[in-house]
Amino acid sequence: MNAQHSTGINIQQTNKSLIKITETMITFNINKPSKEICPKIQNKIDCLTKPLGSLGRLESLALKIGTIQQTDTPALRNPHNILFAADHGVIEEGVSVSPKAVTWQQLSHFSKGGAGINFLCNQHGFRLVLVDAGVDYDIPEGRGIIDCKIRKSTRNFLHGPAMTNKEFELALERGAKVVEDVFDSGCNVVSFGEMGSGNTSSSSMWMHVFTGIPLAECIGAGAGLDKAGVSHKLDVLSRAMENYSGGNRPEDYMAWFGGYEMVMAVGGMLKAAELGMLIIVDGFIMTACILAASRLYPDVLEYAVFGHQGDEAGHNLMLRFLGADAILHLGLRLGEGSGAVCAYPILESAVRMINEMDSFESVGVIKYF
């Protein structure tokens, strides 16, 4: 499947609109959904022809989606999975088994179809949007990959900031613009994926600085490090933390340790919340992104559901820190948005429940609870 034909985004127009670098960081107007409608939604759920609470998690998800959309007849329309790809300078320290070349090779693979995220998007009716956020390669034109490249890879954060403040701001803007475009195409539910050698290291750093959880508990095998590799990764990231000389704002930590694809995902999540969209959060890396986004705008979490609890070390701890209950526990650690897309049918079932089930009153059945 060619990603260009599956997105509905005018790539040429998108690129043109992203050239300017602003002098001040983009801001978002995120309104916390009103809870006034919750009793109405809950009453409708409670009066469906079933024992009270018998559809369990579907009921709480229906309430969440209805609250986001401020209606007791919620709808999921035109779902998109936006996959941002970029490379990380810290890979120079041997913290990943995947070389940088894998990033552009997989991104090209995604554009042709046949990868994990392709079959899942095809199965569940998602449009796959592929974005070059900072891949260390000149991606050929005509492959349906949106060119939002800021730089060929971030810098090595062991020795200094991964990106400049200007690059950080531009990544937020570009991520937000991609989401704005899919929203304009009629999408109201979006998931985010990633591809980038070294990005579990950046995610571990964000997790550590934003939760206070010891760094050793934030680090895992990533794409397949052995025990010695994980130990080396911890050593590198510990030294990087010791070398940190930036400020104390969330933006400072995000720019110093982050990846371009991660910051674009943050910008996309914040824009999705501003637009009242449902955000399906994927695994370890995207959970680190929603965590970081919440440090800028806490109410972004009101628009998020967590698709799955992944197999990467630290993901469960981060979910617990956020008070999040993942929908699926399948042992996934692929990334790409795979766990979020897998969870979509459960969300669809929640919406169908509240819209398609009869009420006791409408069919003349006596309540039996």
Side-chain angles (χ1 to χ4, degrees):
M1 179 176 62
N2 185 299
Q4 183 173 4
H5 298 303
S6 70
T7 65
I9 294 175
N10 186 322
I11 295 173
Q12 205 167 22
Q13 181 181 7
T14 301
N15 289 342
K16 184 177 179 182
S17 67
L18 294 172
I19 294 172
K20 182 181 178 184
I21 300 177
T22 58
E23 294 299 323
T24 58
M25 190 170 77
I26 184 173
T27 58
F28 299 88
N29 182 24
I30 299 175
N31 296 313
K32 189 173 184 177
S34 172
K35 304 296 184 183
E36 291 185 8
I37 198 170
C38 291
K40 180 181 179 183
I41 299 171
Q42 189 63 58
N43 182 66
K44 182 177 180 181
I45 293 170
D46 290 345
C47 290
L48 299 176
T49 50
K50 58 176 180 58
L52 191 67
S54 60
L55 280 175
R57 189 71 187 278
L58 296 185
E59 299 189 20
S60 60
L61 288 169
L63 177 62
K64 172 100 177 185
I65 298 167
T67 303
I68 289 170
Q69 297 183 2
Q70 294 289 287
T71 179
D72 63 354
T73 56
L76 301 176
R77 297 187 298 272
N78 198 16
H80 282 61
N81 183 63
I82 302 173
L83 193 156
F84 296 102
D87 287 304
H88 293 243
V90 74
I91 199 173
E92 299 165 6
E93 305 301 325
V95 296
S96 174
V97 297
S98 299
K100 282 184 178 180
V102 170
T103 305
W104 71 260
Q105 289 170 356
Q106 274 292 77
L107 188 60
S108 178
H109 184 202
F110 299 148
S111 72
K112 299 172 185 175
I117 193 58
N118 294 104
F119 87 78
L120 289 168
C121 285
N122 291 339
Q123 179 183 3
H124 300 306
F126 274 68
R127 294 189 177 185
L128 177 61
V129 180
L130 302 176
V131 181
D132 176 4
V135 177
D136 193 4
Y137 188 78
D138 293 318
I139 304 292
E141 295 182 1
R143 299 196 180 187
I145 298 168
I146 302 174
D147 182 10
C148 290
K149 192 193 298 286
I150 293 174
R151 184 179 184 271
K152 287 185 176 181
S153 177
T154 56
R155 300 161 188 84
N156 186 346
F157 64 65
L158 177 62
H159 305 299
M163 66 188 77
T164 67
N165 290 336
K166 289 292 185 184
E167 290 168 350
F168 173 80
E169 293 162 11
L170 186 57
L172 283 180
E173 290 180 13
R174 292 189 173 184
K177 181 65 171 69
V178 173
V179 168
E180 188 173 24
D181 285 348
V182 302
F183 176 80
D184 289 343
S185 76
C187 169
N188 73 349
V189 53
V190 62
S191 59
F192 297 91
E194 42 62 40
M195 182 66 207
S197 295
N199 58 15
T200 60
S201 292
S202 290
S203 300
S204 295
M205 297 302 285
W206 279 11
M207 176 183 172
H208 171 61
V209 298
F210 293 136
T211 67
I213 295 172
L215 190 55
E217 298 179 38
C218 302
I219 293 174
L225 290 171
D226 58 17
K227 185 176 180 181
V230 173
S231 179
H232 172 70
K233 184 176 179 180
L234 174 59
D235 175 66
V236 171
L237 300 193
S238 296
R239 286 188 284 126
M241 193 71 247
E242 291 171 2
N243 293 341
Y244 180 72
S245 60
N248 293 319
R249 301 178 308 159
E251 301 94 320
D252 298 324
Y253 291 113
M254 293 165 70
W256 192 287
F257 296 118
Y260 296 129
E261 84 282 23
M262 295 168 63
V263 178
M264 284 193 195
V266 169
M269 291 170 175
L270 293 173
K271 175 56 72 170
E274 178 181 81
L275 295 171
M277 301 170 74
L278 175 66
I279 302 165
I280 314 175
V281 182
D282 192 45
F284 179 67
I285 294 162
M286 288 299 106
T287 302
C289 289
I290 197 77
L291 169 65
S294 72
R295 289 300 178 267
L296 299 176
Y297 293 86
D299 287 341
V300 68
L301 293 171
E302 298 288 333
Y303 295 86
V305 295
F306 291 79
H308 78 114
Q309 180 181 311
D311 206 31
E312 176 69 11
H315 193 200
N316 182 44
L317 292 176
M318 192 158 35
L319 290 171
R320 285 166 54 188
F321 180 86
L322 289 167
D325 185 13
I327 296 171
L328 302 176
H329 299 254
L330 300 177
L332 305 178
R333 54 182 181 86
L334 176 64
E336 304 172 12
S338 54
V341 176
C342 270
Y344 181 73
I346 306 299
L347 299 170
E348 194 171 35
S349 292
V351 168
R352 285 182 176 273
M353 175 202 72
I354 196 171
N355 288 327
E356 297 181 15
M357 281 187 73
D358 292 321
S359 68
F360 287 109
E361 182 179 7
S362 67
V363 294
V365 173
I366 298 172
K367 287 185 179 181
Y368 55 97
F369 57 83

